[in-house]
Amino acid sequence: MNSGSLRLRLGLAAAGLIALALALAGVGLTLIFDRVLDARTADGLDRTAKLIAGQVALAPDGALTLPREPPDSRFSAPYGGLYWQVQRQIGQAGGTALRSRSLWDRSLGTVPNAAGEPAVGDLAGPDGGRLIAVTRRVSIPANGATVALAVTVAEDRRDLAESRATFLRLLVPSLGALFVALTLAMSLFVRRALSPFRTLRADLAAIHAGTRARLPETFPEEVRPLVADLNRLLDAQERDLERARTGAGDMAHGLKTPLAVLDALARRTEGRDPALAAEIAEQAQAMGRQVERTLARARASAGGLRRKACPVAPALEKIVGALKRLPEGEALRWEIAVADGLAFPGDEGDLTEILGNLLDNARKWAHRRIRVSGGAEAGEGRLVLEDDGPGMSEAAIAGIARGRRWDETRPGTGFGIAIARDLAEGVGARMRLGRSELGGLRVEVDWPVAV
């Protein structure tokens, strides 16, 4: 696919949007995971704070005591990543605070909160790290009074970072696999969505090849207006070409009488003024050749898009059979090697005139041998005509396009090959002239073949 491909553009746009959507989804999932992880961690810390608050008591001397510490071993290891602390609230004297062995000789702060409600926040850790902490404020009875306590439990966020890294290690490949799957699915979707245009292209190629006259109306609703416009364009072109062909025919028919009159005048004045008669005859013949070429061009353009494909082999066989009966035709060796399925993108009249002009020219100049080969390959049809005559120079080949004769010793108007070229180009074929390996002229006619 090239850079102008609609499928490539849609595919790249879809891939970019999918990548953007997955990137945003990845960021959103990471934020959600962080929120959920913090909430679950805070919930676990709050349960530990409740356990500690339910066990803390005051000794007779007013000191805080905790009969049984939480069972997690990280509370016992210095800077183990899990910490607890119980202390009197500000403004209440007596006793030192209780704290886990993991705090060693450090203490925790408290998270500000309303009475009776646990508070969640971040605190500075004993080793300089960041902690997620929960502070629960409770009151316990003591000698007929109550003592307000703040129970704080915290966990090092570095432990949470490991869980987050594990989540990302699973998330990134999953999003990558999802990107590949969605891109492939979108590629198939784009291909399916553009399939009507591939069908339209094939139908247009069939019209070019002459196997179809109009586009079918079985396309999806979104494509039908385009198909209808193309069919209207085909109809309008057919009408215009028919009018042009009719006009050219009328013009040629209208010129026949004046040309016949000029020819009669030339014969009548031949005895009295031979020079004038020769000049009139020459000009009349020149006008006749121009009319003939104009008609050929009109026929070549009349096919338009709706050309009919004509089998090459049968037409070639008829023409060769007729040429063999002409002077010097029977003495030549005709080598014909044309594939049976080869079809020319024009009607039988166009093909007959092209082959007739080219083969008649070869018959006039060949010494002993004429070779015709043809076939279809790589989406292109090809027909090659060669002879073993004297051939033509590059200057003579250039003059063919203008209808100039390169040798006046042989009969002919000089327009045969030029007319063949006009007809070939009129149906979308290319005609090239060169020197054959047989020694004479090589004429190669190529045309696209609908696949």
Side-chain angles (χ1 to χ4, degrees):
M1 292 183 291
N2 56 41
S3 58
S5 169
L6 180 59
R7 180 182 172 189
L8 177 62
R9 293 179 181 179
L10 291 176
L12 291 177
L17 291 176
I18 290 173
L20 178 61
L22 291 179
L24 294 176
V27 173
L29 288 174
T30 302
L31 294 176
I32 292 173
F33 177 81
D34 289 341
R35 293 282 184 90
V36 172
L37 185 61
D38 283 358
R40 293 192 62 181
T41 302
D43 186 62
L45 296 176
D46 186 50
R47 287 197 298 270
T48 303
K50 287 180 181 179
L51 177 64
I52 293 173
Q55 295 180 0
V56 69
L58 288 176
D61 61 355
L64 297 173
T65 61
L66 187 65
R68 187 176 61 189
E69 295 188 6
D72 197 312
S73 61
R74 289 179 292 173
F75 285 119
S76 302
Y79 307 142
L82 198 58
Y83 313 96
W84 63 265
Q85 175 180 282
V86 181
Q87 64 180 10
R88 286 181 172 84
Q89 294 191 25
I90 298 175
Q92 293 195 7
T96 59
L98 288 177
R99 57 176 175 262
S100 63
R101 188 173 301 175
S102 56
L103 282 172
W104 200 243
D105 58 348
R106 302 296 180 91
S107 61
L108 290 174
T110 59
V111 182
N113 66 325
E117 295 294 332
V120 181
D122 282 6
L123 297 175
D127 59 352
R130 297 298 300 171
L131 308 178
I132 177 173
V134 173
T135 296
R136 180 174 281 275
R137 301 183 187 278
V138 297
S139 299
I140 60 175
N143 299 323
T146 59
V147 177
L149 303 176
V151 180
T152 302
V153 183
E155 184 174 351
D156 199 318
R157 281 197 174 275
R158 282 173 290 195
D159 295 339
L160 303 184
E162 293 179 3
S163 299
R164 187 176 186 271
T166 302
F167 171 76
L168 291 177
R169 282 195 296 270
L170 296 174
L171 177 64
V172 171
S174 300
L175 291 179
L178 184 59
F179 171 77
V180 172
L182 290 177
T183 301
L184 290 176
M186 184 57 66
S187 176
L188 293 176
F189 171 78
V190 171
R191 180 178 178 82
R192 177 65 177 172
L194 295 179
S195 61
F197 294 97
R198 291 194 298 272
T199 304
L200 178 61
R201 180 182 178 184
D203 289 336
L204 286 174
I207 291 176
H208 278 286
T211 58
R212 182 186 291 276
R214 289 173 57 86
L215 295 172
E217 298 181 357
T218 57
F219 287 90
E221 182 177 355
E222 291 76 9
V223 187
R224 286 178 190 170
L226 174 62
V227 173
D229 288 341
L230 287 174
N231 280 330
R232 284 193 293 270
L233 179 62
L234 289 171
D235 294 337
Q237 185 189 46
E238 189 73 14
R239 291 191 298 269
D240 292 342
L241 291 172
E242 184 62 29
R243 284 195 295 268
R245 181 171 57 181
T246 302
D250 292 342
M251 182 190 71
H253 182 74
L255 289 175
K256 283 183 179 180
T257 300
L259 289 175
V261 172
L262 288 176
D263 187 60
L265 288 175
R267 287 196 300 269
R268 289 173 57 184
T269 58
E270 186 174 4
R272 294 181 303 224
D273 193 343
L276 178 60
E279 185 176 354
I280 294 175
E282 182 181 358
Q283 295 302 319
Q285 290 175 2
M287 292 175 63
R289 290 196 298 268
Q290 292 293 344
V291 169
E292 183 181 354
R293 191 173 187 185
T294 301
L295 285 176
R297 286 177 172 174
R299 289 194 301 271
S301 62
L305 285 174
R306 301 179 180 181
R307 302 186 185 106
K308 296 181 179 179
C310 175
V312 175
L316 183 61
E317 183 178 355
K318 293 179 182 178
I319 295 170
V320 171
L323 292 176
K324 283 182 178 179
R325 294 191 291 270
L326 295 177
E328 302 177 355
E330 294 182 355
L332 297 175
R333 186 174 68 184
W334 299 80
E335 300 176 3
I336 309 299
V338 175
D340 292 336
L342 183 63
F344 184 75
D347 58 28
E348 186 174 357
D350 294 336
L351 180 60
T352 299
E353 187 155 2
I354 292 173
L355 292 177
N357 281 308
L358 295 179
L359 290 175
D360 187 54
N361 182 77
R363 177 190 64 82
K364 294 174 183 177
W365 295 101
H367 296 314
R368 293 179 300 275
R369 186 179 175 190
I370 295 177
R371 182 169 66 190
V372 182
S373 59
E377 184 178 355
E380 188 172 64
R382 175 170 297 174
L383 191 62
V384 180
L385 300 90
E386 303 171 273
D387 64 71
D388 61 350
M392 299 174 64
S393 65
E394 293 184 3
I397 290 175
I400 286 293
R402 297 186 294 273
R404 190 174 65 221
R405 298 179 62 187
W406 70 285
D407 192 329
E408 301 291 342
T409 62
R410 298 294 176 98
T413 64
F415 275 81
I417 296 180
I419 289 175
R421 173 176 286 175
D422 290 341
L423 289 171
E425 292 177 350
V427 296
R430 301 179 303 274
M431 193 175 83
R432 293 188 291 269
L433 305 180
R435 180 167 291 277
S436 168
E437 62 181 13
L438 301 180
L441 182 65
R442 172 189 171 94
V443 182
E444 184 176 306
V445 183
D446 299 323
W447 61 89
V449 176
V451 180

